[in-house]
Amino acid sequence: MKTGILTSGAMLVMLAFGSHANASPVRINFSAAFGSGYVDLTLAPDPDASSNYQPTYSESDAASNISPPLSPYDPAGAQHITGASGMFSSGGGDVAITGIIATSPGVAPPGELLPKSFSWLVADGNPHSYDDLFYANGSPLVCPPVGPTPYTFYGGFLDIFGVMFALDNGDVLGLWSDGLVPANAFGPGTPGEAGVTYGLSLFTAAAGGGYAEGPSQFAGVTASVPEPDSIWLFGAGMLGLFAWRRSAESRRASRSV
């Protein structure tokens, strides 16, 4: 009887808040030298996420200036970022984050095989990569670790391409993970210590259309996902209590046989 009550209580907690948690956005707090803020991400499954994605590099294609088609897969563990809302604060004041810049198929650098969601945002004639992917368990290696400029770091809830946020003043904010890096990985004087570090860039809306490059920080940006809501800690506690009670009653039953 007591076991049934505990089971029912735990299930009620999970049912009462399960749909809320599944629909709840993931919040990221971030801070760079030129600004800080927060953003709530709306996520959706990525049906193309697969361990079949392996970043590769072809020296012959690179020498011939050939870019292979993007991979049919995204990296394993990826989720699509489908929406965003929040606030970015800088010396110019507060600006609302109103959404994301949707991905569109990009052209990879010559010789590189990159994820299906790989895209470019062009500012001042220069391309800036993004893929709008989120990794709850940390991003894997997404770039070929070979070639003339190999990049071997990975990790963080974004990958090194990152996400582009739309701001309500027409500007765009790019956030990405540099991965788990050693101290001074990008040279002496680069902000940030050993560990997972992030980067942030601001692209301002140009008068004639398009974007201009604004302030940017390649490394040393902090970004974190807050702890789960207390209700989920309560729900986990209920489940733990149920498991303990069930174990205790099983031990008593075995001793009475």
Side-chain angles (χ1 to χ4, degrees):
M1 180 64 177
K2 291 178 181 178
T3 299
I5 293 173
L6 287 168
T7 304
S8 300
M11 290 302 295
L12 283 173
V13 168
M14 303 308 285
L15 289 173
F17 296 97
S19 59
H20 171 75
N22 289 336
S24 295
V26 173
R27 171 161 292 192
I28 297 176
N29 298 315
F30 58 90
S31 180
F34 65 90
S36 61
Y38 71 91
V39 61
D40 294 328
L41 305 180
T42 303
L43 304 176
D46 182 350
D48 300 311
S50 172
S51 58
N52 288 326
Y53 172 70
Q54 296 295 329
T56 58
Y57 178 78
S58 168
E59 290 188 5
S60 60
D61 283 352
S64 301
N65 201 36
I66 297 174
S67 293
L70 296 177
S71 171
Y73 308 107
D74 282 331
Q79 293 175 272
H80 283 304
I81 301 172
T82 59
S85 62
M87 189 69 66
F88 173 63
S89 301
S90 65
D94 297 339
V95 184
I97 296 172
T98 58
I100 62 169
I101 303 299
T103 57
S104 59
V107 177
E112 296 188 19
L113 179 67
L114 297 180
K116 182 177 181 178
S117 294
F118 179 82
S119 305
W120 292 116
L121 182 139
V122 177
D124 287 335
N126 299 315
H128 301 268
S129 61
Y130 69 104
D131 56 18
D132 291 347
L133 297 178
F134 179 87
Y135 303 83
N137 297 316
S139 63
L141 189 67
V142 298
C143 266
V146 295
T149 55
Y151 195 90
T152 59
F153 307 124
Y154 57 92
F157 41 77
L158 302 173
D159 57 32
I160 65 171
F161 303 131
V163 55
M164 293 288 183
F165 298 118
L167 306 182
D168 71 352
N169 63 357
D171 294 349
V172 172
L173 191 68
L175 177 67
W176 69 91
S177 169
D178 293 310
L180 179 63
V181 302
N184 298 318
F186 307 115
T190 303
E193 300 177 352
V196 177
T197 185
Y198 291 81
L200 191 72
S201 288
L202 180 65
F203 306 98
T204 59
Y211 301 99
E213 296 181 358
S216 180
Q217 184 175 333
F218 179 77
V221 175
T222 61
S224 62
V225 175
E227 293 297 322
D229 292 340
S230 58
I231 188 63
W232 282 103
L233 297 179
F234 174 72
M238 285 291 292
L239 290 174
L241 179 60
F242 160 66
W244 172 83
R245 182 69 185 184
R246 184 176 181 182
S247 176
E249 291 189 357
S250 296
R251 289 196 299 270
R252 282 200 300 271
S254 64
R255 286 198 296 268
S256 63
V257 173

